[in-house]
Amino acid sequence: MNLGKSIGKFFITALFAVSILPISVQAQDLLARQAPIDRKMKAVDTLVLKSIVEREQEQSPAASLYHDWDNRYAHRRIEMPDTFKIDLRHFCMPTNSRVVTSNFGSRWGRQHKGLDIKVYIGDTIRAAFSGKVRIVRYEPGGYGKYIVIRHPNGLETIYGHLSEQLVTENEVVRAGEIIGLGGNTGRSTGSHLHFETRLCGVALNPALMFDFRNQDVTGDFFVYNSSTYDEQSAEATRLRGKVGNGGYTRDLVQDGELGSYANKHSADKGELLYHKVKAGETLSSIARQRGVTVEKICSLNHLNTNSHVRPGMILRYS
């Protein structure tokens, strides 16, 4: 009897093993057929994830460094890494002026936290990088009318003494977008742009990253290092800071080369004129309305003739 039971159990076990073998093989075949689909879905998931990250960066740029979005302070120091790599690609010079009128560092017994760049009242000021506007405010005893933008590369840029602010708080802007007009508001002794670059609320010498004389950045990246920063900053000022005490003309400030004082476009030859784009307008319709050519508008605003304009954009036409 026991032998019979053992033989019966053996046959049942063998039969069960045979019965599940095709299912296992079928499952493996099914997984094999699904592999290309899984790879495609992985690619789709990667694009979706990238899109989500980009949206999050727009909502809260440099979130890995800054843990809140506070509009009360122009700058407030938070914990800062000893080293940090700042991406300078996809930049735009905030002004096409080549003249630095005041360096970063000690000035008149106090620390000057940015560079002063000579601009005239009404000159175009642009966002240095893409980012999100954190502050648009007026400070009569300091920055005057100023703007603070936080960027995904970790920097915050500050634009001070403006005559007009053309963006609003929490607005997302792109590198090169017009954000304001040069001015002489606040604690200022003449029309200029006060330009700051801050990391975690700490002012860094903009000359480490921006070369106004050559209208370029100093490289694709700048690596902040706390142990070498002071030496690097002093060298940057020597190479790219204020040059001499000579006069300057509008030509030098806007388009000329350093040392060329030919007065081709003096300020008394005409005021700067701007047009705020309305819904439905195009470059052609604006040119006709203002009595200028499309080419001139494009040249003055760094556009091409195929560019689309959006309602609210500020375009210079003279």
Side-chain angles (χ1 to χ4, degrees):
M1 289 293 292
N2 290 336
L3 179 62
K5 288 182 179 179
S6 298
I7 293 172
K9 288 181 179 179
F10 172 78
F11 279 114
I12 291 172
T13 302
L15 180 62
F16 178 74
V18 171
S19 66
I20 66 170
L21 181 61
I23 297 176
S24 175
V25 172
Q26 289 175 9
Q28 290 176 359
D29 289 343
L30 180 60
L31 289 174
R33 288 196 300 272
Q34 284 182 334
I37 298 175
D38 289 342
R39 284 193 290 270
K40 290 179 183 178
M41 289 306 299
K42 183 178 180 181
V44 171
D45 288 344
T46 300
L47 290 174
V48 171
L49 179 61
K50 182 179 178 182
S51 176
I52 292 171
V53 169
E54 288 175 350
R55 288 200 301 272
E56 288 178 346
Q57 284 285 15
E58 285 191 349
Q59 292 300 314
S60 182
S64 61
L65 285 177
Y66 304 92
H67 303 303
D68 62 7
W69 182 262
D70 193 334
N71 298 78
R72 291 176 294 172
Y73 306 101
H75 45 77
R76 183 175 59 173
R77 181 166 186 157
I78 60 174
E79 185 178 355
M80 186 171 177
D82 290 331
T83 62
F84 190 80
K85 187 176 183 180
I86 301 170
D87 190 342
L88 302 179
R89 297 172 298 177
H90 314 299
F91 76 101
C92 178
M93 296 302 292
T95 169
N96 58 4
S97 172
R98 298 171 181 269
V99 179
V100 178
T101 59
S102 189
N103 291 326
F104 177 93
S106 180
R107 184 184 72 168
W108 307 330
R110 58 190 297 178
Q111 287 297 307
H112 185 232
K113 300 293 189 177
L115 288 182
D116 287 348
I117 312 301
K118 179 59 188 176
V119 299
Y120 292 91
I121 295 174
D123 281 355
T124 298
I125 306 300
R126 300 176 183 274
F129 302 100
S130 297
K132 189 175 182 181
V133 179
R134 190 166 65 82
I135 291 178
V136 178
R137 198 169 297 165
Y138 174 61
E139 184 183 274
Y143 288 124
K145 292 182 178 180
Y146 72 100
I147 295 168
V148 181
I149 304 176
R150 183 176 293 177
H151 309 286
N153 64 3
L155 287 180
E156 286 197 327
T157 51
I158 302 179
Y159 311 77
H161 307 309
L162 304 173
S163 62
E164 296 290 341
Q165 298 145 305
L166 303 175
V167 290
T168 57
E169 290 184 352
N170 299 310
E171 181 178 345
V172 175
V173 296
R174 301 301 176 192
E177 191 169 328
I178 298 174
I179 58 172
L181 303 179
N184 187 30
T185 59
R187 192 166 183 260
S188 171
T189 56
S191 60
H192 69 281
L193 170 68
H194 176 81
F195 179 64
E196 293 186 12
T197 49
R198 289 182 177 260
L199 179 66
C200 298
V202 178
L204 303 182
N205 187 351
L208 288 163
M209 294 164 271
F210 288 85
D211 184 346
F212 283 91
R213 204 178 311 164
N214 292 308
Q215 288 289 288
D216 202 356
V217 286
T218 58
D220 287 344
F221 300 92
F222 168 69
V223 179
Y224 165 78
N225 187 314
S226 60
S227 64
T228 59
Y229 169 76
D230 289 339
E231 181 181 341
Q232 288 179 305
S233 177
E235 179 66 4
T237 294
R238 186 185 72 80
L239 293 174
R240 294 178 285 275
K242 179 180 178 182
V243 177
N245 296 306
Y248 37 77
T249 66
R250 195 174 195 86
D251 176 57
L252 171 61
V253 170
Q254 292 190 327
D255 302 303
E257 296 181 0
L258 197 68
S260 171
Y261 298 106
N263 191 9
K264 297 177 184 175
H265 306 289
S266 63
D268 59 5
K269 287 188 178 180
E271 61 178 330
L272 299 179
L273 300 174
Y274 293 86
H275 177 92
K276 189 169 185 177
V277 179
K278 301 179 182 65
E281 289 186 322
T282 64
L283 286 173
S284 297
S285 67
I286 295 168
R288 287 194 301 271
Q289 180 183 343
R290 297 300 184 181
V292 297
T293 64
V294 171
E295 288 74 15
K296 182 173 183 179
I297 293 176
C298 291
S299 175
L300 291 172
N301 296 278
H302 307 286
L303 302 173
N304 60 60
T305 55
N306 295 321
S307 296
H308 295 286
V309 293
R310 306 188 308 275
M313 284 181 66
I314 307 296
L315 298 178
R316 181 181 165 192
Y317 64 91
S318 177

